[in-house]
Amino acid sequence: MLSNGVKRELTWIISNLLIMLFLAWLTGLWTEGLLLFILFYIGRQLWSIHKFENWMASRKTNAYPPASGYWSELTYLVSKKQRALEKHADLNLYKSEQFKAASMLIPDAIVSLDHHNKIEWFNTVSKSLIGVRRQDIGVKIESVVRQPEFIQYLKSANFSKSLTVNSSYKKARTYEMQVIPYFENHKLLVVRDITELYQLAQIRRDFIANASHELRTPLTVLRGYLEVMIDTPGEHQKTWGVPLEHMETQSLRMQAIIEDLLTLSTIEAESIASEKEQVNVPEMLKQLEQDVKQLGNKNHDFVFDIDESLVIKGYAEPLKSVFTNLVSNAVRYSPDGGEIVVSWLKDNANIVFEVQDSGLGISQEHIPRLTERFYRVDKDRSRVTGGTGLGLAIVKHVLERHGAELHIDSVLGKGSVFRCEFPMDA
Ligand code: ADP
């Protein structure tokens, strides 16, 4: 099937050839006539190419150049395609304008960054929240938002979580910053002012910290009297001996809960302040090994597999409480003689602290809730073994502060693995 362009061209050739043949018949100049026709055809083609090129270069697609035959069809097809593209481009422009207009109304700062972290565009709120100005377009975001924590966050290229910081641009404001990678190495920086929310959480944290602190002194006094009463021989021991011991056990539990609540609120309070320091984890774990081996009253079999050279940057005391909590859980939830393997090593992508026990195990439905405060699988057992229900909540908070993650694998009746994965640059 012939295309329209070829059909038009053939029609032109045949009709003009017929005219030429008629003239040649009249004049008898057959060779000259044929030569003239070929020259005329080539000349016409060259002229059409010249016109077509000019038309394409002028971009005035609505003004058709004078053309015939194949060239008129080609001109028509090109201009049709061009009109469709323009329509599409208009639609894209409209959509992008619509998106920009909507993003201007969002109460959070939104800044689009290219693959070099240079600012491409930003919404109105960005000006008041982080101080981005029109002249900053094309400037690296680190030169505008100079907060060290943010620069570190950007460098880490780990954007799975947001960053909470005290604003350096606006006094006494707390921001949540999140980088979202999109489209071929581009990034969107979203900054939200969470001062009010943060203050509310702060009030709650202060309340818990203050209440725990206030309870500490009266409890110490009560425990003091209890100890005296238990240690003093006399008639009262017959009736009160057992209840007094029961009271002492309970007061010890209360003290442990208060201490854990205080630890939790201290960790939370420090969550956006203080510099990290070099932590000698192998040294810390050696001490822990000695402690658990000395204290162990269930004859557990301990294996400590420690990479001696592996130190990280972090917060020493909170990290210590993570290691102690996980190892003490393994001890408390494993029967006599069970094996407990503690390791501190590098795997392909992370630095890993792992505690593996061959104890009770945990059924799957409980695992997602274990890090909630006071969540216990078996309340009675936790109480008997001296648990506060806050150990794993502390672990979770400390790991969050270190950009680390807790993974729990467990099979009921067989044992559990608690694995803390720290980023390589920790
Ligand atoms: P607790 O002080 O009660 O141990 P945690 O927050 O440390 O509180 O742990 C929460 C719950 O998770 C525990 O009550 C226990 O049921 C379960 N658990 C924690 N570690 C282990 C473990 N190694 N084996 C079995 N269960 C565990």
Side-chain angles (χ1 to χ4, degrees), residues 153-420:
Y153 174 66
L154 204 62
K155 254 196 212 159
S156 78
N158 177 5
F159 306 127
S160 54
K161 287 191 184 121
S162 59
L163 173 76
T164 305
V165 286
N166 288 323
S167 167
S168 58
Y169 183 69
K170 274 187 156 185
K171 250 189 169 181
R173 306 300 294 176
T174 308
Y175 290 169
E176 184 182 66
M177 300 176 131
Q178 172 95 58
V179 169
I180 305 158
Y182 78 104
F183 184 64
E184 291 176 359
N185 279 336
H186 281 58
K187 296 180 196 86
L188 217 57
L189 167 65
V190 183
V191 183
R192 176 173 300 169
D193 187 337
I194 55 158
T195 312
E196 279 70 33
L197 267 178
Y198 192 78
Q199 276 169 353
L200 271 178
Q202 188 64 43
I203 292 169
R204 178 184 60 83
R205 280 194 291 270
D206 286 351
F207 171 74
I208 294 173
N210 292 338
S212 315
H213 202 75
E214 291 298 323
L215 284 170
R216 235 181 187 176
T217 320
L219 193 63
T220 313
V221 175
L222 281 177
R223 284 205 51 222
Y225 281 123
L226 278 172
E227 267 169 33
V228 174
M229 287 165 85
I230 289 168
D231 291 344
T232 312
E235 269 303 299
H236 69 284
Q237 292 291 359
K238 275 192 202 148
T239 349
W240 288 102
V242 177
L244 281 175
E245 265 169 31
H246 193 60
M247 282 158 84
E248 198 195 23
T249 315
Q250 292 307 316
S251 67
L252 275 172
R253 259 200 73 219
M254 256 169 100
Q255 198 172 24
I257 292 173
I258 287 171
E259 293 307 325
D260 273 359
L261 280 172
L262 276 170
T263 309
L264 247 181
S265 47
T266 315
I267 294 164
E268 283 184 330
E270 284 173 350
S271 63
I272 63 168
S274 69
E275 282 278 299
K276 282 182 181 166
E277 54 185 3
Q278 190 98 327
V279 184
N280 191 338
V281 177
E283 197 60 45
M284 210 178 249
L285 292 177
K286 244 185 242 165
Q287 185 59 49
L288 182 64
E289 184 179 3
Q290 276 180 12
D291 293 348
V292 287
K293 282 182 177 166
Q294 270 168 17
L295 290 175
N297 50 3
K298 283 189 186 172
N299 299 319
H300 289 116
D301 219 349
F302 286 104
V303 178
F304 274 72
D305 183 8
I306 311 293
D307 180 340
E308 302 275 342
S309 62
L310 207 54
V311 293
I312 58 167
K313 276 201 154 177
Y315 307 96
E317 274 311 307
L319 277 176
K320 198 171 164 186
S321 66
V322 168
F323 305 147
T324 314
N325 266 308
L326 292 179
V327 175
S328 108
N329 276 356
V331 171
R332 288 190 295 117
Y333 298 107
S334 296
D336 247 352
E339 189 186 58
I340 295 169
V341 183
V342 180
S343 35
W344 173 247
L345 337 136
K346 242 183 211 174
D347 78 354
N348 295 335
N350 300 293
I351 296 172
V352 178
F353 174 75
E354 193 178 273
V355 181
Q356 196 176 340
D357 66 55
S358 48
L360 302 178
I362 309 154
S363 66
Q364 293 305 307
E365 74 268 22
H366 294 294
I367 292 180
R369 301 196 59 190
L370 290 184
T371 53
E372 286 173 23
R373 283 157 208 228
F374 297 114
Y375 188 86
R376 295 155 172 129
V377 176
D378 180 344
K379 278 201 166 74
D380 294 336
R381 189 180 177 96
S382 166
R383 274 190 199 121
V384 170
T385 58
T388 61
L390 292 167
L392 291 180
I394 293 175
V395 169
K396 181 186 151 200
H397 272 278
V398 176
L399 292 185
E400 266 174 13
R401 270 190 81 192
H402 288 81
E405 280 176 12
L406 176 68
H407 298 276
I408 307 169
D409 270 326
S410 192
V411 179
L412 199 59
K414 291 228 159 120
S416 317
V417 180
F418 285 76
R419 184 180 165 91
C420 312

Side-chain angles (χ1 to χ4, degrees), residues 2-241:
L2 292 175
S3 69
N4 279 350
V6 176
K7 273 190 211 157
R8 277 172 183 260
E9 193 66 12
L10 278 177
T11 317
W12 187 92
I13 292 172
I14 291 166
S15 52
N16 283 282
L17 198 62
L18 282 175
I19 296 170
M20 191 282 296
L21 287 175
F22 177 67
L23 291 174
W25 175 70
L26 279 181
T27 56
L29 299 171
W30 290 98
T31 321
E32 290 83 347
L34 203 63
L35 211 65
L36 203 69
F37 176 76
I38 292 169
L39 280 176
F40 179 62
Y41 183 70
I42 293 171
R44 175 183 163 272
Q45 289 295 335
L46 291 175
W47 177 246
S48 299
I49 291 171
H50 169 73
K51 284 287 210 188
F52 186 77
E53 265 182 14
N54 281 350
W55 175 69
M56 286 291 282
S58 78
R59 290 171 169 263
K60 282 188 192 154
T61 43
N62 41 1
Y64 291 92
S68 56
Y70 165 72
W71 291 98
S72 73
E73 185 64 20
L74 192 63
T75 312
Y76 167 72
L77 286 177
V78 168
S79 63
K80 192 172 150 190
K81 195 141 239 169
Q82 192 104 352
R83 276 203 303 277
L85 282 174
E86 275 167 11
K87 211 169 158 186
H88 196 65
D90 282 351
L91 197 70
N92 276 349
L93 190 71
Y94 173 70
K95 279 186 182 165
S96 121
E97 289 302 320
Q98 212 180 21
F99 171 72
K100 278 189 188 169
S103 73
M104 291 294 171
L105 299 175
I106 295 175
D108 303 334
I110 298 178
V111 184
S112 156
L113 308 172
D114 71 5
H115 56 291
H116 290 304
N117 293 334
K118 287 182 180 167
I119 299 171
E120 287 181 324
W121 63 263
F122 55 89
N123 67 348
T124 332
V125 184
S126 307
K127 289 182 209 160
S128 56
L129 224 56
I130 49 176
V132 193
R133 299 153 308 161
R134 195 163 264 287
Q135 54 266 46
D136 291 330
I137 289 195
V139 172
K140 283 197 167 201
I141 188 72
E142 299 97 306
S143 314
V144 180
V145 183
R146 294 175 184 208
Q147 228 146 334
E149 301 96 323
F150 172 69
I151 294 173
Q152 181 63 33
Y153 174 66
L154 204 62
K155 254 196 212 159
S156 78
N158 177 5
F159 306 127
S160 54
K161 287 191 184 121
S162 59
L163 173 76
T164 305
V165 286
N166 288 323
S167 167
S168 58
Y169 183 69
K170 274 187 156 185
K171 250 189 169 181
R173 306 300 294 176
T174 308
Y175 290 169
E176 184 182 66
M177 300 176 131
Q178 172 95 58
V179 169
I180 305 158
Y182 78 104
F183 184 64
E184 291 176 359
N185 279 336
H186 281 58
K187 296 180 196 86
L188 217 57
L189 167 65
V190 183
V191 183
R192 176 173 300 169
D193 187 337
I194 55 158
T195 312
E196 279 70 33
L197 267 178
Y198 192 78
Q199 276 169 353
L200 271 178
Q202 188 64 43
I203 292 169
R204 178 184 60 83
R205 280 194 291 270
D206 286 351
F207 171 74
I208 294 173
N210 292 338
S212 315
H213 202 75
E214 291 298 323
L215 284 170
R216 235 181 187 176
T217 320
L219 193 63
T220 313
V221 175
L222 281 177
R223 284 205 51 222
Y225 281 123
L226 278 172
E227 267 169 33
V228 174
M229 287 165 85
I230 289 168
D231 291 344
T232 312
E235 269 303 299
H236 69 284
Q237 292 291 359
K238 275 192 202 148
T239 349
W240 288 102

